[in-house]
């Protein structure tokens, strides 16, 4: 385990040196330097390259030993043969945190595995906080430190932290997220820990759990470094912060493909599944679910219970939503008589009002009033804990002031979650329109149901701790 | 069953009257008239309204009896109290096909159910081809006839037909599809049959199966009008045209929500599931799968077998894909020695090449060459039947000529299917870039695996016919 100050130097460096900085603007060693510079990084930034005096406007020195201060963090972008020596140099001058971008170690050949063992030994001996080898790096402080060669043009800070035991996954997720026109997951910390030579998910869980700006934690793990300790700590942390785990390897071939290290935890996926559940962690089945669930926790209030009202512009979508919600352990709420009475007022006399509530017949006469009364009625219903809205973003359903109406509906809903799924040609326009209102918009009914189910399960089980006999197993 | 010429009048009308056409441009009775006019409809179009002589530039008459020709099809947009009388008028002058847009019948109250029974009796007695009540209508002839109040600005013709037993679902799917910037499913026929008073899915299956422009059939059904006959015919049709069925009601509550008519088929969903499978039909679990599977059949060649090569820019995505493909019954191909040798040429020496093939380490040096060699090698491999590509649309992976490279890869692949999933900020840009190349781009790994699994299952089972004992059950 790296020391406290070493982890601080990894996540909140005050000075950074890029070893292997390049003058070629297409090379990662250049892009990385420029990314840190072009972000809002407030610390000092140095380039290390024996054949330049400045790169991208940053002072350049021939080696880490020549830098006029003791830097917190070094980012290494060198050929693999030169990495070990660079790490030794860093250690000898007192650098605390090291990001090894270079690949070709434990995931590669025999030479790489031997070299990685030496890196690990060195890191442990000196208490260094190392991520990589084989990582695209990390972005922390809500985007103020962009220690990665992926060029993030913008960044939205927020309550989420993502840790991935892989080279590029967390970075790719973050990049995609930050280029969306709306519904960006606000990310405070995003780390690809790569081959995991020193800093592991357990250490990061401990640090991130203590960070008051972080409210939700997402882990992509192919194996556990120390499964029992991670689960024990996670079971504590999840009482105040939901933890979502994306762990592939459900199939034997999948497990083979991940070349997971033989951890202390059983390889049998059903055991993994059971243990995650018993410790109150939420397991995402795939990358879409992972993001939908994180979105639910980041954007919406926690639900009080499992009774869902579905408000829909299409009967068919309502039927499909019923199937999906029930299969996620949610209930279809029985609406209060007052609610059905209020909704009847905006629909033709002949229409029976039941849950799912089909609003389509009212849309033609007055789309704004139909939306307002339809949603505010079910959100005010004492028999309803959360609402799923299925909107067809099509004429004649569209109207001026859609965002304002949704803002009022959301405001009037108090602490009840409202999730939306949009279909129809104006889908992106409507999705953008509700941005920032605290309303998650999911890509499909399946994702919405999964996210609502996960949030509900979390609320029901957050105070459970695994029983003593399980702990002592 | 309606007569042949009556169904022809529904799908390919030569003259149409809109009963209840409105001068108010916001009303469906106006929008509908304008949609037909603004499409490429080559037939004659009349408005019916007692208080106008023309609407939206179309000649207007006080009643259907005053129109100077016998029209093929009437579209009715009237208050529900006036619908039955309008249908009677149509029948008495010899109109063959009727689209009843108006809702408030069988799905509503006691009056509606009684009135619908009368409509059904009349339709059967006169052999009329009626869709609705409670439908947004239909679009046929590849967009040349747009008999719906949903304003489709564009339409892409293609090999798909969609039939939905609902008011609005097929129309909403079509609208969303036609507003996408790329990856539009080409739709030749889209029909919401509504409350199904005369024309049903069996009759449409028969007609659409015989249409040489239609190669793939998608049905959204909440219940079967005549389950056994439909399955028997579908088992024949599927030998040349894949049939994808989206049938909700997996849960009891879902079944309740669909208020399905009591059909001859068992209500038990597992029985439905088994029967669909035994007859070689493909069942989609939700609306996303429905579209992904239709896309696979529309865009890509049929696979020869179940051996998949995964080519990925992210190891994590490769691991997740392995899980998803195996859970859909596909195999992870063992690559030929020549293939691994060719790919080794574009990757660092230390990298082991196996399936999933992780190309990331080659992207930095030469993204275009990495893409070309990576994909063309696995597509040429005799041990590989189909390929799933997982691309990170991020710098430094992007390059000029991405579309041209993909076109060459696709061309060189012959009749092997290539499916893609894109992640990263340039995702939409890359997705648009490959449009029209015969490469389905799916929204997630899960959708891709499901679509590839469905196409493979289809190929393996298209020539099976249900055994005699099943037929006689």
């Amino acid at each position: 385990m790296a020391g406290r100050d070493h982890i601080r130097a990894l996540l909140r460096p005050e000075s950074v040196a890029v070893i292997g900085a390049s003058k070629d603007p297409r090379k990662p060693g250049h892009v990385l330097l420029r990314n840190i510079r072009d972000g809002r990084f407030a610390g000092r930034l140095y380039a290390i390259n024996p054949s330049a005096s400045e790169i991208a406007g940053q002072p350049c020195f021939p080696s880490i030993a020549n830098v006029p201060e003791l830097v917190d963090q070094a980012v290494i972008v060198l050929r693999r043969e030169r990495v070990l020596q660079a790490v030794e140099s860093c250690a000898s001058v007192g650098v605390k945190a090291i990001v090894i971008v270079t690949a070709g170690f434990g995931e590669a050949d025999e030479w790489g595995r031997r070299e990685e063992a030496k890196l690990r030994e060195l890191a442990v001996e000196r208490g260094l906080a190392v991520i990589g080898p084989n990582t695209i790096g990390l972005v922390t402080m809500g985007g103020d430190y962009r220690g990665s060669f992926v060029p993030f043009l913008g960044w939205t800070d927020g309550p989420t932290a993502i840790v991935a035991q892989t080279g590029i996954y967390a970075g790719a997720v973050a990049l995609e997220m930050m280029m969306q026109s709306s519904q960006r997951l606000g990310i405070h910390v995003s780390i690809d820990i790569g081959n995991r030579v020193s800093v592991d998910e357990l250490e990061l869980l401990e640090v991130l759990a203590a960070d008051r700006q972080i409210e939700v934690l997402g882990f992509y793990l192919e194996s556990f470094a120390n499964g029992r300790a991670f689960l024990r700590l996670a079971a504590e942390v999840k009482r105040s912060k939901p933890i979502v785990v994306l762990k592939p390897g459900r199939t034997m071939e999948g497990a083979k493909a991940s070349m997971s290290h033989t951890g202390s935890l059983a390889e049998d996926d059903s055991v993994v599944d059971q243990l995650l559940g018993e410790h109150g962690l939420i397991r995402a089945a795939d990358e879409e679910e992972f993001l939908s669930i994180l979105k639910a926790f980041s954007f919406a209030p926690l639900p009080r219970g499992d009774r869902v009202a579905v408000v829909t512009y299409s009967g068919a979508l309502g039927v499909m939503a019923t199937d999906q919600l029930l299969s996620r352990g949610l209930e279809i709420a029985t609406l209060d008589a007052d609610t059905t009475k209020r909704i009847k007022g905006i629909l033709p006399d002949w229409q029976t009002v039941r849950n799912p509530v089909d609003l389509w017949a009212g849309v033609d006469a007055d789309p704004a009033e139909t939306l307002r009364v339809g949603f505010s009625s079910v959100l005010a219903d004492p028999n309803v804990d959360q609402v799923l809205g299925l909107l067809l973003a099509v004429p004649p359903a569209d109207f001026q002031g859609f965002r304002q109406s949704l803002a009022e509906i959301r405001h009037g809903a108090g602490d009840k979650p409202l999730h939306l799924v949009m279909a129809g040609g104006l889908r992106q326009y409507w999705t953008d329109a509700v941005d920032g209102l605290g309303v998650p918009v999911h890509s499909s009914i399946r994702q919405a149901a999964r996210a609502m189910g996960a949030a509900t399960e979390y609320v029901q089980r957050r105070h459970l701790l695994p029983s003593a006999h399980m702990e002592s197993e």
Side-chain angles (χ1 to χ4, degrees), chain A:
Chain A
M1 275 246 191
R4 269 279 149 166
D5 194 45
H6 292 73
I7 290 285
R8 193 272 313 150
L10 180 70
L11 300 180
R12 312 182 72 88
E14 289 173 10
S15 51
V16 174
V18 177
I19 302 179
S22 168
K23 282 186 277 193
D24 182 342
R26 291 165 310 173
K27 292 282 172 196
H30 186 95
V31 178
L32 213 153
L33 192 73
R34 213 172 45 206
N35 282 347
I36 302 175
R37 183 198 73 188
D38 294 347
R40 288 159 298 187
F41 185 56
R44 280 91 53 205
L45 175 61
Y46 306 98
I48 307 297
N49 181 324
S51 56
S53 63
E54 65 84 27
I55 296 179
Q58 302 306 123
C60 186
F61 298 95
S63 86
I64 190 79
N66 302 109
V67 177
E69 71 167 311
L70 167 53
V71 297
D72 267 343
Q73 179 175 141
V75 183
I76 299 178
V77 198
L78 295 169
R79 278 188 296 113
R80 66 175 189 160
E81 293 77 13
R82 299 179 52 204
V83 168
L84 181 61
Q85 203 197 326
V87 173
E88 278 165 350
S89 304
C90 289
S92 68
V93 299
V95 172
K96 302 183 190 84
I98 302 177
V99 174
I100 306 174
V101 170
T102 314
F105 291 86
E107 83 285 12
D109 54 6
E110 193 44 43
W111 183 92
R113 278 185 287 277
R114 281 202 311 271
E115 201 77 351
E116 184 167 301
K118 293 179 202 163
L119 285 172
R120 183 172 288 111
E121 199 179 342
L122 183 61
V124 170
E125 190 185 303
R126 305 292 184 96
L128 301 173
V130 178
I131 65 166
N134 188 20
T135 176
I136 62 160
L138 75 176
V139 178
T140 65
M141 306 190 236
D144 284 357
Y145 177 57
R146 302 186 188 173
S148 172
F149 61 84
V150 176
F152 301 102
L153 298 179
W155 192 275
T156 301
D157 193 5
T160 313
I162 297 178
V163 175
Q165 179 209 349
T166 170
I168 193 170
Y169 180 69
V173 165
L175 182 62
E176 180 153 355
M177 201 48 78
M178 296 314 163
M179 290 188 76
Q180 287 181 9
S181 59
S182 60
Q183 292 281 314
R184 292 179 176 193
L185 195 61
I187 301 178
H188 196 65
V189 169
S190 165
I191 306 183
D192 279 302
I193 57 179
N195 291 359
R196 195 166 59 183
V197 302
S198 86
V199 174
D200 63 26
E201 66 276 10
L202 175 60
E203 193 159 12
L204 287 171
L205 173 61
E206 193 176 342
V207 175
L208 298 174
D211 186 330
R212 264 177 290 182
Q213 291 189 262
I214 293 168
E215 295 165 21
V216 195
L217 295 156
F219 288 85
Y220 170 87
L221 297 173
E222 294 191 359
S223 65
F224 291 97
N226 182 345
R228 298 217 176 275
F230 181 83
L231 289 172
R232 204 151 39 220
L233 178 59
E236 281 294 338
V237 172
K238 71 94 172 55
R239 300 171 77 158
S240 56
K241 301 182 184 191
I243 299 174
V244 186
V245 177
L246 175 57
K247 186 177 181 305
R250 287 181 178 273
T251 58
M252 285 305 288
E253 289 275 339
K256 235 166 70 187
S258 85
M259 297 203 314
S260 62
H261 315 115
T262 307
S264 54
L265 209 64
E267 288 287 341
D268 184 338
D269 189 71
S270 64
V271 176
V272 172
D273 215 50
Q274 191 191 336
L275 284 171
L276 290 173
E278 284 174 352
H279 288 75
L281 311 193
I282 296 148
R283 184 172 189 180
D286 57 35
E287 77 283 11
E288 270 187 299
E289 271 194 23
F290 187 61
L291 294 177
S292 284
I293 296 170
L294 290 174
K295 203 147 84 169
F297 284 120
S298 294
F299 290 3
L302 291 172
R304 290 218 195 131
D306 60 4
R307 299 167 304 170
V308 180
V310 179
V311 179
T312 182
Y313 281 17
S314 149
L317 294 179
V319 173
M320 291 190 267
T322 303
D323 275 359
Q324 296 277 352
L325 291 165
L326 289 167
S327 75
R328 296 305 185 175
L330 296 161
E331 296 288 326
I332 302 298
T334 304
L335 300 180
D336 189 81
D338 276 358
T339 308
T340 55
K341 199 173 148 196
R342 281 183 65 195
I343 295 171
K344 271 184 158 300
I346 52 163
L347 294 177
D349 293 340
W350 47 259
Q351 191 164 335
T352 312
V353 174
R354 60 182 179 278
N355 185 13
V357 180
D358 186 346
L359 291 183
W360 184 253
V363 164
D364 185 42
D366 190 339
E369 185 67 359
T370 300
L371 185 82
R372 191 185 67 76
V373 175
F375 277 87
S376 61
S377 308
V378 297
L379 281 160
D381 190 319
N383 298 340
V384 171
D385 299 312
Q386 41 189 318
V387 173
L388 172 59
L390 310 171
L391 301 182
L392 294 183
V394 297
D398 62 329
F399 57 95
Q400 289 286 321
F402 175 73
R403 178 181 170 83
Q404 183 58 30
S405 294
L406 245 298
E408 286 164 18
I409 288 166
R410 177 61 269 176
H411 181 76
D415 59 359
K416 280 189 194 172
L418 167 61
H419 295 256
L420 292 179
V421 175
M422 313 258 201
L426 301 172
R427 174 185 187 150
Q428 190 60 49
Y429 180 80
W430 277 20
T431 302
D432 292 351
V434 304
D435 205 40
L437 297 181
V439 179
V441 180
H442 300 278
S443 61
S444 66
I445 292 172
R446 182 178 187 276
Q447 297 310 321
R450 180 62 182 113
M452 294 170 81
T456 306
E457 201 183 303
Y458 172 69
V459 169
Q460 289 165 342
R461 309 183 56 195
R462 67 194 293 187
H463 297 301
L464 287 182
L465 281 179
S467 58
H469 85 271
M470 280 166 44
E471 281 302 285
S472 61
E473 254 174 52

